[in-house]
Amino acid sequence: MSPYTTHLCLVSAQATPNLLPVLDDVWRPKKVVLACSAQMKTAAQGLRSVIQTKCPGLVVETLELPNAYDYAALSDTFLSYLADHADDNIALNVTGGTKLMAVAAQEVFRSAGKPVFYVNVESDEVLVIGEQAKSQPLRAKLKVHEMLRAHGYSVTTQEQPQITRELRDLTARLIDHVASAGRALGTINAIARMARDAPGLRVDLTPAQYDSRSLMDIFALFADADLLRLNGPAISFKNEDARFFVNGGWLEAHVYEALQSLRTQHESLTDVAMGVRVAFGGADPRAAAKNRDKNEIDVAFLYRNTLHLIECKTANLAQGGKGDDSKATEALYKMESLLKLGGLRTRGMVVDYRGQLSQSEADRQRAHEAGIAIVSGAQLKDLKGAISRLWLAKRD
């Protein structure tokens, strides 16, 4: 049973501090009041959607705020609300909002003798300000799609991969040959892309491709896993899922499997998702369906309720992309845009099979400045160790 019947939350671009106490079995109130400015209405809609889905029957109301930087107007709004709810068992979650909004709300609540609490998102703990008691842990855990919805996005696609033993063995062999298979896989990626729009998912190989032993050896691996057929100088894929797997999807599956394995070692690693497509539209699926501004996420997971995003690349990133940028630079641009999806604490990584992203000093510097981790080449042989060292071990 929550010590407070109502939580008044200050809505900002960071959803997690407002969500965790509401979803926690111990701290869950009966009513949530989302205090938000005009600029934060979309964020409030995302919070409302997740709260009402996770906590059926919990009342969610909105308190519209004036200019988020007008201290006097903010104070008057909070004073009026408390005057109308003087007998309510209400507490302020002061973690969100602008600094001025938080100061105004805290001053009003403290003057009225109402409790104020703060959520430490680094440790998933709540601290009641002014009390001597120690911080109390929050046990609520979010899912990837809930985190995205809370930040104003709608998940339109989320794959549930069926990874067989044969596919695991195939992926393991490709990782073992990371130093020698890169060029051939680059050619296979191009062939798989051509097959996407070809009748019967069939592509004729050039004489040079058909005579390439390294290329045909890897095609044989995919054929042994029942993903494609070799018909003389032609390749035909079993189906679209098989074509996608050959066209680099196998690396996404490898990363997904590594993270699922790490979940057994890290209690705070709570959800892993693959093939996530998100769109603006928040709680309204009709708006999301019409919106063309979509983002593709190869692999995503939550660790300590922080969103972690991973891009998987098997292509030749040293090649030129659009305009003057290389494909490596384009990959970093994309990850920088994805980092906006889950709030300021979102973390990003690019897993580069061929190891070309880390060869460029300019790209390494750009990744470092953007806070993007890079795992490439031979590091993939110990992917779980790399992820643990970069993201998990320092925070356990």
Side-chain angles (χ1 to χ4, degrees), residues 121-122 143-144 147-148 255 259 268-274 276 297-311 335 338-339 341-343 345-350 371 373 387-388 390-395:
V121 291
E122 293 293 337
K143 298 289 187 180
V144 168
M147 177 67 78
L148 293 168
V255 173
L259 288 165
S268 298
L269 202 167
T270 53
D271 190 37
V272 183
M274 173 180 160
V276 181
I297 304 172
D298 291 342
V299 184
F301 70 95
L302 286 174
Y303 181 73
R304 293 193 182 278
N305 288 307
T306 296
L307 187 62
H308 293 67
L309 307 175
I310 301 179
E311 277 282 294
M335 179 50 68
L338 291 177
L339 288 176
L341 295 178
R345 299 173 66 237
T346 302
R347 299 185 174 199
M349 174 185 289
V350 177
I387 292 174
S388 295
L390 288 167
W391 276 346
L392 309 184
K394 296 178 182 179
R395 305 186 62 200

Side-chain angles (χ1 to χ4, degrees), residues 23 28-30 49-59:
L23 304 184
R28 183 176 302 153
K30 294 182 179 179
S49 172
V50 174
I51 292 171
Q52 292 181 329
T53 300
K54 296 280 285 186
C55 309
L58 192 151
V59 177

Side-chain angles (χ1 to χ4, degrees), residues 14 26 42 86 113 119 124 127-128 137 147 155 164 188 198 210 230 241 246 252 291 308 325 339 356 383:
Q14 311 309 309
V26 175
T42 299
V119 176
D124 288 345
L127 173 67
V128 180
M147 177 67 78
V155 178
T164 64
I188 289 173
Y210 186 62
L230 296 166
D241 288 341
V246 174
E252 296 179 26
N291 197 305
H308 293 67
D325 294 326
L339 288 176
Q356 293 160 324
L383 179 61

Side-chain angles (χ1 to χ4, degrees), residues 165-243:
R165 179 184 299 177
E166 290 76 16
L167 294 182
R168 290 191 187 94
D169 291 343
L170 166 62
T171 299
R173 296 185 68 175
L174 293 174
I175 296 297
D176 285 342
H177 293 84
V178 65
S180 58
R183 179 173 296 180
L185 279 171
T187 301
I188 289 173
N189 284 348
I191 292 170
R193 286 195 298 273
M194 291 173 58
R196 180 171 50 192
D197 300 318
L201 300 176
R202 183 181 182 277
V203 174
D204 293 322
L205 302 180
T206 66
Q209 291 170 343
Y210 186 62
D211 290 337
S212 170
R213 180 175 178 179
S214 61
L215 190 63
M216 298 307 293
D217 283 346
I218 296 181
F219 268 134
L221 292 178
F222 287 123
D224 289 342
D226 197 29
L227 296 171
L228 55 80
R229 290 184 179 181
L230 296 166
N231 302 306
I235 298 292
S236 58
F237 294 89
K238 181 178 181 180
N239 51 40
E240 172 56 26
D241 288 341
R243 188 207 64 79

Side-chain angles (χ1 to χ4, degrees), residues 73-357:
L74 289 168
S75 296
D76 288 344
T77 301
F78 292 125
L79 282 168
S80 295
Y81 183 83
L82 285 187
D84 292 338
H85 300 82
D87 296 329
D88 289 0
N89 178 18
I90 183 171
L92 169 68
N93 181 345
V94 75
T95 320
T98 64
K99 289 184 178 180
L100 200 60
M101 188 189 302
V103 171
Q106 182 170 343
E107 286 294 324
V108 169
F109 270 69
R110 294 298 297 273
S111 298
K114 297 291 186 180
V116 178
F117 65 88
Y118 176 86
V119 176
N120 183 346
V121 291
E122 293 293 337
S123 60
D124 288 345
E125 294 178 319
V126 62
L127 173 67
V128 180
I129 296 175
E131 292 189 2
Q132 297 299 318
K134 295 181 180 179
S135 298
Q136 301 177 40
L138 294 168
R139 304 297 183 188
K141 304 299 180 185
L142 294 168
K143 298 289 187 180
V144 168
H145 70 90
E146 293 167 346
M147 177 67 78
L148 293 168
R149 283 173 58 201
H151 285 88
Y153 298 88
S154 176
V155 178
T156 57
T157 304
Q158 183 170 320
E159 295 179 12
Q160 298 295 327
Q162 301 297 319
I163 304 172
T164 64
R165 179 184 299 177
E166 290 76 16
L167 294 182
R168 290 191 187 94
D169 291 343
L170 166 62
T171 299
R173 296 185 68 175
L174 293 174
I175 296 297
D176 285 342
H177 293 84
V178 65
S180 58
R183 179 173 296 180
L185 279 171
T187 301
I188 289 173
N189 284 348
I191 292 170
R193 286 195 298 273
M194 291 173 58
R196 180 171 50 192
D197 300 318
L201 300 176
R202 183 181 182 277
V203 174
D204 293 322
L205 302 180
T206 66
Q209 291 170 343
Y210 186 62
D211 290 337
S212 170
R213 180 175 178 179
S214 61
L215 190 63
M216 298 307 293
D217 283 346
I218 296 181
F219 268 134
L221 292 178
F222 287 123
D224 289 342
D226 197 29
L227 296 171
L228 55 80
R229 290 184 179 181
L230 296 166
N231 302 306
I235 298 292
S236 58
F237 294 89
K238 181 178 181 180
N239 51 40
E240 172 56 26
D241 288 341
R243 188 207 64 79
F244 173 81
F245 192 88
V246 174
N247 191 192
W250 64 267
L251 183 56
E252 296 179 26
H254 178 65
V255 173
Y256 177 87
E257 289 271 283
L259 288 165
Q260 289 287 23
S261 177
L262 283 170
R263 289 184 68 180
T264 63
Q265 305 169 30
H266 299 273
E267 182 181 355
S268 298
L269 202 167
T270 53
D271 190 37
V272 183
M274 173 180 160
V276 181
R277 173 180 286 186
V278 297
F280 287 102
D284 186 350
R286 293 170 299 178
K290 294 179 181 178
N291 197 305
R292 297 182 179 180
D293 186 10
K294 296 182 173 64
N295 294 277
E296 301 282 351
I297 304 172
D298 291 342
V299 184
F301 70 95
L302 286 174
Y303 181 73
R304 293 193 182 278
N305 288 307
T306 296
L307 187 62
H308 293 67
L309 307 175
I310 301 179
E311 277 282 294
C312 302
K313 297 296 182 183
T314 58
N316 181 2
L317 297 185
Q319 290 181 340
K322 298 178 181 178
D324 296 329
D325 294 326
S326 68
K327 289 186 177 180
T329 302
E330 288 181 354
L332 294 177
Y333 278 140
K334 180 180 179 182
M335 179 50 68
E336 284 185 79
S337 68
L338 291 177
L339 288 176
K340 302 173 184 177
L341 295 178
L344 295 175
R345 299 173 66 237
T346 302
R347 299 185 174 199
M349 174 185 289
V350 177
V351 174
D352 170 24
Y353 178 80
R354 299 183 67 173
Q356 293 160 324
L357 183 57

